[in-house]
Amino acid sequence: MSIRIGIYGYGNLGRGVVSAIKQNSDMTLSAIFTRRDPASLKINDPGVRVLRAEEAENMVGDIDVMILCGGSATDLPVQTPALSRLFNCVDSFDNHSRIPEHFAAVDKTASESGHLTLISCGWDPGMFSLNRLYASAVLPEGNDYTFWGKGISQGHSDAIRRIDGVLDARQYTIPVEDAINSVRRGENPVLSAGEKHTRECYVVAEDGADKARIEQEIKTMPAYFADYNTTVHFISAEELKANHSAMYHGGVVIRSGKTGNGNNHVIEYSLKLDSNPEFTSSILVSCARAVHRMACEGMKGCKTMLDVAPVYLSPLPADQLRKKLL
Amino acid sequence: MSIRIGIYGYGNLGRGVVSAIKQNSDMTLSAIFTRRDPASLKINDPGVRVLRAEEAENMVGDIDVMILCGGSATDLPVQTPALSRLFNCVDSFDNHSRIPEHFAAVDKTASESGHLTLISCGWDPGMFSLNRLYASAVLPEGNDYTFWGKGISQGHSDAIRRIDGVLDARQYTIPVEDAINSVRRGENPVLSAGEKHTRECYVVAEDGADKARIEQEIKTMPAYFADYNTTVHFISAEELKANHSAMYHGGVVIRSGKTGNGNNHVIEYSLKLDSNPEFTSSILVSCARAVHRMACEGMKGCKTMLDVAPVYLSPLPADQLRKKLL
């Protein structure tokens, strides 16, 4: 029987989930929940109900897994614990430092209500975390390196937008190639944050705004920019839309470690993504399959991809996986 | 309490396991079992018993996990099912086409005796299989590519050694860089076996042997060489030992796939290994930890790394993993 999916929140991620479900024949999209007027969404599929967010509780029993597609700043900290009282859920919560707190909140409601929820299912946290875990388990004496980009960082773009006189902005995180290559050669360099990444900012300023002051405020902003080689370009709103709307991203996780008498090994995992949200959506959908299966086996509470046996993610039966992929 | 490990078979892999256990403070090496005279092994550790292979059954109760370090051709097909009657085991069985058969044989004895055994724990099968599974689950519409090398293929070296007039040989499998780069660019090329790898052979011939005939026999050998661009070099036994004894290896698994309206994504996992056997040994040791924990939770029968939740492989507790790696 097909796994019945609900989508909670219909932005870039939610649209990506709609596409991803079509690539997986063991799943059906049952309903989309939105805070906007449901009539404003163009889904073009009579089998999919579009409902107001508050109507979710009426769909208990019609949805096997709810995929939460809200943002990590304010949506998911509230929505994932709340919806885990009603459904098995999956989210892509990506605020690294607050994961333990989010885990605890979700674990409480999911455990109390007997549901299973997987949090932080994306590429970082998510696929990159898995690779850091596998690599460090196999090479206990070594160092991990994670590089992101080239791609737009939402958090850094938001930080620039909060500066007085800024109308809009995009910030690209760019890995330093020399640093990556040193790591690849197994040199185990000690790298500061600024030696690993540079930051390139495209800013739309208000008419008459003091651009020198804005540039200075960006470049000296603690944590976000002060420690990095940062470049600032002022452009028009039209240029920003035309040239800086692409959602490509990517990154690399490398572990370099030693075994025996000084033999060195380098493990590298890399992603080159045309669409950051669509790739994350595809991960969410494979995790929804895993959640459904694990819940059917009686698992409850909050878990992450680190707890998921890989077989649960694939639609193929275990004997086929052994034959084809092992 | 420390996990008590037994090593069954003391070649390159067994020696690698001895080193790897020293890098993992939650494990203790209890005993090594060998078909040679135990007195001939120099272990230099009074805590480690060196015993004849037949004595394994006397050590039931003193070993939590037995790591099997024999070869896949003739040792493991017999040893893994037999020892799974007595112990929880881990092996690195790597004859891909015979994995379903090996799995069935091990599953029978392990299930009957209530033990848990993980088979095919290496890098291919093993880490590469995991990456093929994760990538295909996340990108269902796409293609997988696996490239091996540069490194020595034991099977191809053995095939050359069986030719009349050959004293010794090493065969390097070399990936074709243009093919890898096309895959990395997301071009989804259709590649024959010979378009993915070339084969370079270093051969020590008997005095007076017909080298032209040997070269011809190598280059026309079906399955092994006939479909590849193959180079043959005749060298002395001294040169072979001096220049072709290194055990480095590596390879790449790439999946390229599409989501949404034609957005392309490339996932790449690569390994650069100074010592093929030591890296495999390190994987075996982390899998031994997983087997011990999973057996303690009551799991039985035969499993592979595809069935292992990643958390079981790491010595760190789950909350630490979430905090540090997620």
Side-chain angles (χ1 to χ4, degrees):
Chain A
M1 203 177 102
S2 195
I3 305 170
R4 298 165 304 171
I5 304 289
I7 295 176
Y8 198 88
Y10 196 66
N12 286 331
L13 213 50
R15 281 192 292 277
V17 171
V18 173
S19 296
I21 290 172
K22 291 178 183 154
Q23 295 183 314
N24 289 279
S25 59
D26 58 340
M27 298 188 187
T28 310
L29 176 56
S30 293
I32 298 172
F33 300 91
T34 176
R35 284 175 294 197
R36 286 175 279 170
D37 173 10
S40 71
L41 268 62
K42 304 276 169 281
I43 304 299
N44 291 326
D45 183 338
V48 179
R49 301 176 67 177
V50 182
L51 302 169
R52 286 182 300 110
E54 307 83 70
E55 296 178 87
E57 61 189 291
N58 303 327
M59 290 292 282
V60 170
D62 292 315
I63 287 172
D64 296 312
V65 184
M66 186 72 93
I67 301 181
L68 281 75
C69 297
S72 294
T74 56
D75 297 333
L76 298 177
V78 178
Q79 294 171 353
T80 313
L83 286 161
S84 294
R85 289 207 180 275
L86 305 170
F87 302 97
N88 303 314
C89 300
V90 184
D91 81 14
S92 59
F93 184 79
D94 66 0
N95 187 335
H96 290 263
S97 67
R98 300 189 61 182
I99 286 174
E101 185 184 335
H102 188 57
F103 183 92
V106 173
D107 195 46
K108 181 170 190 302
T109 59
S111 298
E112 284 174 2
S113 62
H115 291 103
L116 177 67
T117 289
L118 270 184
I119 62 163
S120 302
C121 305
W123 57 275
D124 195 0
M127 297 308 303
F128 274 16
S129 322
L130 284 170
N131 277 280
R132 288 187 283 259
L133 170 46
Y134 279 117
S136 63
V138 169
L139 293 177
E141 289 181 18
N143 294 303
D144 272 346
Y145 298 86
T146 301
F147 295 90
W148 298 275
K150 181 182 177 177
I152 288 176
S153 160
Q154 207 54 58
H156 288 78
S157 302
D158 287 344
I160 300 173
R161 284 188 207 107
R162 285 192 293 265
I163 293 175
D164 199 41
V166 170
L167 291 173
D168 204 353
R170 297 284 185 285
Q171 191 269 182
Y172 294 94
T173 302
I174 303 169
V176 176
E177 280 299 319
D178 284 352
I180 295 188
N181 290 330
S182 168
V183 172
R184 282 187 178 137
R185 288 191 298 268
E187 294 170 357
N188 283 294
V190 176
L191 298 168
S192 68
E195 286 168 336
K196 289 173 69 186
H197 296 94
T198 59
R199 303 198 173 279
E200 194 163 12
C201 313
Y202 291 85
V203 180
V204 182
E206 284 172 10
D207 276 353
D210 180 350
K211 291 180 179 171
R213 190 232 346 127
I214 291 172
E215 179 164 346
Q216 180 67 9
E217 280 196 42
I218 293 172
K219 289 186 167 176
T220 57
M221 196 185 295
Y224 284 89
F225 295 100
D227 301 331
Y228 298 86
N229 182 345
T230 300
T231 320
V232 178
H233 308 276
F234 289 95
I235 59 174
S236 69
E238 294 68 37
E239 280 179 279
L240 190 83
K241 189 166 182 227
N243 302 329
H244 303 286
S245 295
M247 292 187 281
Y248 62 82
H249 215 311
V252 189
V253 173
I254 305 176
R255 187 169 180 93
S256 162
K258 294 207 181 301
T259 64
N261 291 316
N263 283 311
N264 200 58
H265 309 278
V266 180
I267 304 174
E268 174 169 343
Y269 180 78
S270 77
L271 295 174
K272 268 193 319 197
L273 313 174
D274 275 1
S275 167
N276 184 357
E278 285 183 7
F279 190 73
T280 301
S281 299
S282 293
I283 295 169
L284 282 166
V285 166
S286 68
C287 287
R289 173 184 295 119
V291 162
H292 178 64
R293 291 179 175 173
M294 292 163 73
C296 287
E297 291 184 8
M299 297 186 211
K300 294 177 181 60
C302 188
K303 294 189 183 288
T304 75
M305 292 181 83
L306 307 181
D307 303 299
V308 176
V311 282
Y312 288 117
L313 297 165
S314 170
L316 295 177
D319 62 334
Q320 286 294 309
L321 291 173
R322 283 195 295 273
K323 199 171 170 180
K324 288 185 177 178
L325 299 183
L326 203 63
Chain B
M1 204 177 101
S2 195
I3 304 170
R4 301 165 300 172
I5 304 289
I7 294 175
Y8 197 89
Y10 195 67
N12 286 330
L13 213 50
R15 281 191 292 274
V17 170
V18 172
S19 296
I21 289 171
K22 290 178 185 156
Q23 294 183 313
N24 289 279
S25 60
D26 59 340
M27 298 188 189
T28 311
L29 175 57
S30 293
I32 298 172
F33 301 90
T34 176
R35 283 176 296 199
R36 287 174 279 171
D37 174 11
S40 70
L41 269 60
K42 302 277 169 279
I43 305 298
N44 292 326
D45 183 339
V48 179
R49 301 176 67 177
V50 182
L51 302 169
R52 286 181 302 110
E54 308 83 69
E55 295 178 87
E57 62 189 290
N58 304 328
M59 290 292 281
V60 169
D62 292 315
I63 287 172
D64 296 312
V65 183
M66 186 72 93
I67 300 181
L68 280 75
C69 298
S72 295
T74 55
D75 297 334
L76 298 177
V78 177
Q79 294 170 355
T80 314
L83 286 161
S84 294
R85 288 204 180 278
L86 305 170
F87 302 97
N88 303 314
C89 300
V90 183
D91 81 15
S92 60
F93 184 78
D94 66 0
N95 186 336
H96 290 264
S97 67
R98 298 189 64 182
I99 286 174
E101 184 185 336
H102 188 56
F103 183 92
V106 174
D107 195 46
K108 183 172 189 301
T109 59
S111 299
E112 284 173 2
S113 63
H115 291 102
L116 177 66
T117 289
L118 270 185
I119 62 163
S120 302
C121 305
W123 56 276
D124 196 359
M127 297 309 301
F128 274 17
S129 322
L130 284 170
N131 277 280
R132 287 186 284 257
L133 170 46
Y134 279 118
S136 63
V138 169
L139 293 177
E141 290 182 18
N143 294 304
D144 273 346
Y145 298 86
T146 301
F147 295 90
W148 297 274
K150 183 182 177 178
I152 288 176
S153 159
Q154 208 52 57
H156 288 79
S157 302
D158 287 343
I160 300 173
R161 284 187 208 108
R162 285 192 292 266
I163 293 174
D164 199 43
V166 171
L167 289 174
D168 204 352
R170 298 284 185 284
Q171 191 269 185
Y172 294 95
T173 302
I174 304 169
V176 176
E177 280 300 319
D178 285 350
I180 296 187
N181 289 331
S182 168
V183 171
R184 281 186 179 138
R185 287 192 299 268
E187 295 170 355
N188 282 291
V190 176
L191 298 167
S192 68
E195 286 167 337
K196 291 173 67 187
H197 296 94
T198 58
R199 302 197 173 279
E200 193 163 13
C201 313
Y202 291 84
V203 180
V204 182
E206 284 173 10
D207 276 351
D210 180 350
K211 290 178 180 172
R213 191 234 342 132
I214 291 172
E215 180 165 347
Q216 180 67 8
E217 279 195 43
I218 294 172
K219 289 185 169 177
T220 57
M221 196 185 297
Y224 284 88
F225 295 100
D227 302 330
Y228 298 85
N229 183 344
T230 301
T231 320
V232 177
H233 308 274
F234 289 94
I235 59 174
S236 69
E238 294 69 37
E239 282 179 275
L240 190 84
K241 190 167 182 225
N243 302 330
H244 304 286
S245 295
M247 290 187 282
Y248 63 82
H249 215 312
V252 189
V253 173
I254 306 176
R255 187 170 180 93
S256 164
K258 294 205 181 301
T259 64
N261 291 315
N263 283 312
N264 199 58
H265 308 279
V266 180
I267 304 173
E268 175 168 343
Y269 180 79
S270 77
L271 295 174
K272 267 192 318 195
L273 312 174
D274 276 0
S275 166
N276 183 359
E278 283 183 9
F279 190 73
T280 301
S281 299
S282 292
I283 295 170
L284 282 165
V285 166
S286 68
C287 286
R289 173 184 295 119
V291 161
H292 178 64
R293 291 178 175 176
M294 292 162 74
C296 287
E297 292 185 7
M299 297 187 213
K300 294 177 179 61
C302 187
K303 294 189 183 289
T304 75
M305 293 182 84
L306 307 181
D307 303 299
V308 177
V311 282
Y312 288 117
L313 296 165
S314 169
L316 295 177
D319 62 333
Q320 287 295 309
L321 291 173
R322 283 195 295 272
K323 198 171 171 180
K324 289 187 177 178
L325 301 182
L326 201 62

